[in-house]
Amino acid sequence: ILATRQFSAAPASKDGREVVTYLGLNNLSDNPGAVKRGRRVGRGIGSSKGKTCGRGHKGQKARAGGGVSPLFEGGQTKFYKRIPKRGFKNNHAEAMVPLNVGTLQDYIDMGRLTPPSGDEDPLTMKDLVDAGVTKRSAVKYGIKLLGKGKERLRTPVKIEISRASEGAIKAVEAVGGEITTVHYNRLALRALLKPEKFDIIPKRARPPPKLMQYYTDDDKRGYLSSKVELKKVKDRLTQTSN
């Protein structure tokens, strides 16, 4: 039982003991002055807020629901309109999901990603999604590999991904890995991440003209670049000879 001692103005009991009042729902209340009652308007002139209720006679601010905007400055140009515009929103931007090489190494250390060895197929974005690196619904246009945490990368990784930064490419190749940037349109990306939705997997479309320069660049390790195409031919000839 919760009890509180309150010193009452009434005299103590006859035997001189202190009066104790138990705290209950019947005597629970705020401290004196903690709650101030709001003034009731429109209750006669004796209340000082009768008749017009303190709004005065007529006018915009006297009407129900009336009043001016907090941004109104008496008719002069508003402050936010006097400030010059800056920046814009690119409606055609293709937002990539960022992935750092340090995070890639962490998932390999946890055993959630198995780097391919030998002639095995490279890691794809589906492998990353299945490992829990990112959500499937978050990948709208692809994944971009970034170089943060490159000092922790030590496992050779062969991976195909949408985009890759210069630092990420150097970090992956420095430990003996291989990286290829591949273009996926919306249909091909959906077929890659959700193959169970398709009876026949559609062919992957070529990059549009504005992205063709990226995927044909040797420095970007594009899958249409001369170095990658030459490596594919050599691998094909090696398999044929064997």
Side-chain angles (χ1 to χ4, degrees):
I1 300 174
L2 180 63
T4 179
R5 295 188 174 185
Q6 296 180 353
F7 294 96
S8 176
S13 59
K14 294 181 179 180
D15 53 5
R17 291 183 299 176
E18 184 181 359
V19 177
V20 177
T21 304
Y22 288 94
L23 183 63
L25 294 177
N26 61 323
N27 58 5
L28 187 65
S29 63
D30 284 316
N31 295 327
V35 179
K36 182 179 179 181
R37 294 184 60 186
R39 182 184 293 272
R40 301 176 68 207
V41 298
R43 293 300 184 271
I45 59 176
S47 66
S48 78
K49 285 292 183 288
K51 194 186 174 186
T52 55
C53 306
R55 295 190 178 206
H57 291 279
K58 301 182 182 178
Q60 184 178 3
K61 293 191 288 186
R63 313 301 182 188
V68 295
S69 168
L71 303 176
F72 185 66
E73 299 184 21
Q76 73 178 12
T77 305
K78 301 175 183 180
F79 177 72
Y80 71 88
K81 287 190 175 183
R82 298 198 298 267
I83 299 175
K85 295 180 180 180
R86 183 175 180 179
F88 72 102
K89 179 181 178 182
N90 187 1
N91 294 325
H92 304 287
E94 297 180 354
M96 297 281 172
V97 177
L99 172 63
N100 293 298
V101 292
T103 305
L104 196 64
Q105 182 63 54
D106 292 339
Y107 276 80
I108 293 174
D109 294 340
M110 289 187 291
R112 299 173 69 172
L113 272 177
T114 304
S117 59
D119 297 334
E120 294 182 359
D121 293 334
L123 294 176
T124 62
M125 289 183 285
K126 178 170 174 46
D127 298 320
L128 300 177
V129 170
D130 293 342
V133 176
T134 183
K135 292 183 179 180
R136 184 181 302 180
S137 59
V139 184
K140 302 294 185 183
Y141 297 97
I143 300 176
K144 183 173 182 177
L145 191 64
L146 303 177
K148 186 176 180 181
K150 57 186 177 183
E151 65 279 355
R152 295 188 285 113
L153 184 65
R154 61 185 182 278
T155 306
V157 180
K158 186 163 63 172
I159 186 172
E160 285 186 354
I161 205 160
S162 299
R163 308 274 177 87
S165 66
E166 183 179 352
I169 294 173
K170 290 181 179 179
V172 171
E173 295 179 348
V175 295
E178 181 183 333
I179 184 169
T180 307
T181 55
V182 182
H183 171 71
Y184 288 93
N185 60 349
R186 297 298 295 272
L187 179 62
L189 187 61
R190 186 168 184 266
L192 175 68
L193 299 179
K194 300 179 181 180
E196 67 278 2
K197 299 286 187 180
F198 295 83
D199 294 330
I200 300 176
I201 300 298
K203 290 185 66 175
R204 193 167 58 202
R206 293 177 66 85
K210 66 177 182 179
L211 296 178
M212 185 63 74
Q213 183 178 359
Y214 183 92
Y215 291 104
T216 55
D217 192 351
D218 293 334
D219 296 334
K220 305 295 185 182
R221 303 300 187 267
Y223 73 112
L224 298 177
S225 63
S226 57
K227 288 184 178 180
V228 175
E229 292 288 350
L230 183 60
K231 186 179 181 303
K232 289 180 179 179
V233 173
K234 289 181 178 180
D235 294 341
R236 195 179 303 115
L237 292 176
T238 304
Q239 292 177 358
T240 305
S241 61
N242 293 336

